[in-house]
Amino acid sequence: MIGAGPSNLALAVALEECGAPEVAGRALIIEQHEDVKWQRNLLLPWARSQVSYVKDLVTLRNPRSRFSFLNFLHERGELDEFVNLSTFNPFRWQLSAYQQWVADSLEHVQVRYGARAGDILPIYGEDSTVLGFAVSLSNGDTVICRDLVIGAGRDAAVPPVFAGLPAERVVHSSQYGSRVAAVNALAQPGRPLRPVVVGGAQSAAEVFMALHQDAPGSSPMMLMRSIGLKDYQTSKFVNALFFPSFVDEFYAMSEPTRVKVLEEMRLTNYAGLAAPFLDELYTMIYRQKMLGQPVSAIRGLTEIVGARMEPAAGGGEEVVLDVRDLRTDRVEPVRCDAVFLGTGYDQRMPAMVRRLTEAMKLPEVSVNRSYRVDLGEGARGGLYLQGVNEATHGISDSLISVLAHRSAHIVGDVLQRRADTEAGGADVDTSAAATRAQLAVPA
């Protein structure tokens, strides 16, 4: 399993609870960092999950599991205080700590930290069927497996208009925590940082809010195409579409219907903010105005049509954004020190998946109900994708709402395939010599 995020941790728990310890004992999670952190660069102290803690890694599949969020709180002696908050929505850092606790509590599945996956190549049998995969790690090791699960998330989306700016001047929200201090140093001497935040959804708004603390004295400007910040659609009728049972309904729909449903559900997860956070943002700007403080700006109906570096008045360089007012079509320059992007994630398959499927010469990435890619008839190796199947499994696929049930589907598929093929036939050989032969790699 590539990535120790919530998807693969939920899968690890399902493996440990499936009654097949010999399979769980051979499972490995590869994590590029030295620890588990959920949304590690947006672990802001005030940020909350928008999803109920009941939708943790396991409870909706097995309410009696020792891996539940409530048991995590119980074992840490924090349950009473949490219950007293009277909320279903924990702080994001709490869920991050919970996921590290789950990783530490696994008895059979191993987690290998500090191991970044590089090239992934298929291993073929004599009849050209896929037997498994070879995953190269950054330290030179190679991991051989029969079944590979990729749960590392999507790639950050950086609009092409910013391609010409120096990398140190552009920060995606997924990099915020690890880069904001260095970006602060780009400010001219004696002047606070002048940051611009691009985007109108939750991550952009969180970065906008955080900059008031992390870039002291600054007055961030937020630019978005929409008319203004909007709240999520959170009616109970809409939320019913995040039930795990709705995945079956969505998967059975025709492609045109799926596209329509996804578009209608956009504001349940994308392009919106939690209502309490909207109130907090508005109150902050109101307070700035009433107290005569420098006022941060939120500008809607704007589009960035150009971005370049120019000499700054006080020396050095600055970023110049050409910003079009969509109401008047007028373009004006906005000068700043750095651009923070809350522009979401690339909706294509992650580059890691694309490279692998191109190496396998697959005409398309077709995923079945159990999240397994069609590798052709007779394939003994399995490739599973987590969190990138919205087009076929619905908008909840990238959320934690369906983790527990999705894990059950994948584990069930893995065990059934192994039962069907253990009678005989070629299988992946994990020895180094056999791997070189099957990959056609010179010794």
Side-chain angles (χ1 to χ4, degrees), residues 221-240:
M221 176 181 291
M222 189 175 185
L223 303 176
M224 70 193 78
R225 288 195 183 98
S226 60
I227 194 170
L229 297 174
K230 308 181 186 73
D231 58 354
Y232 288 127
Q233 293 179 4
T234 57
S235 81
K236 291 179 173 58
F237 295 99
V238 171
N239 283 345

Side-chain angles (χ1 to χ4, degrees), residues 158-205:
V158 178
V161 70
F162 302 107
L165 294 180
E168 65 270 17
R169 300 279 181 166
V170 181
V171 181
H172 190 268
S173 60
S174 62
Q175 307 166 325
Y176 177 80
S178 60
R179 293 191 55 197
V180 65
V183 171
N184 251 329
L186 298 174
Q188 294 294 318
R191 185 181 68 192
L193 185 75
R194 297 173 299 163
V196 167
V197 180
V198 179
Q202 186 78 18
S203 60

Side-chain angles (χ1 to χ4, degrees), residues 238-261:
V238 171
N239 283 345
L241 302 181
F242 290 92
F243 290 176
S245 58
F246 184 68
V247 178
D248 288 322
E249 295 181 45
F250 188 87
Y251 190 81
M253 294 176 186
S254 66
E255 185 174 352
T257 303
R258 289 176 185 164
V259 172
K260 183 176 185 297
V261 170

Side-chain angles (χ1 to χ4, degrees), residues 305-358:
V305 296
R308 62 191 181 278
M309 299 298 297
E310 286 188 358
E317 288 189 305
E318 63 186 359
V319 177
V320 179
L321 303 177
D322 295 320
V323 178
R324 174 182 290 137
D325 187 324
L326 298 178
R327 293 163 292 195
T328 64
D329 211 35
R330 179 184 175 185
V331 177
E332 63 175 332
V334 170
R335 299 178 182 277
C336 61
D337 297 310
V339 182
F340 293 83
L341 302 180
T343 48
Y345 293 85
D346 193 332
Q347 292 306 297
R348 297 176 298 170
M349 282 291 170
M352 177 183 294
V353 176
R354 297 200 306 271
R355 289 193 299 268
L356 174 57
T357 54
E358 287 168 6

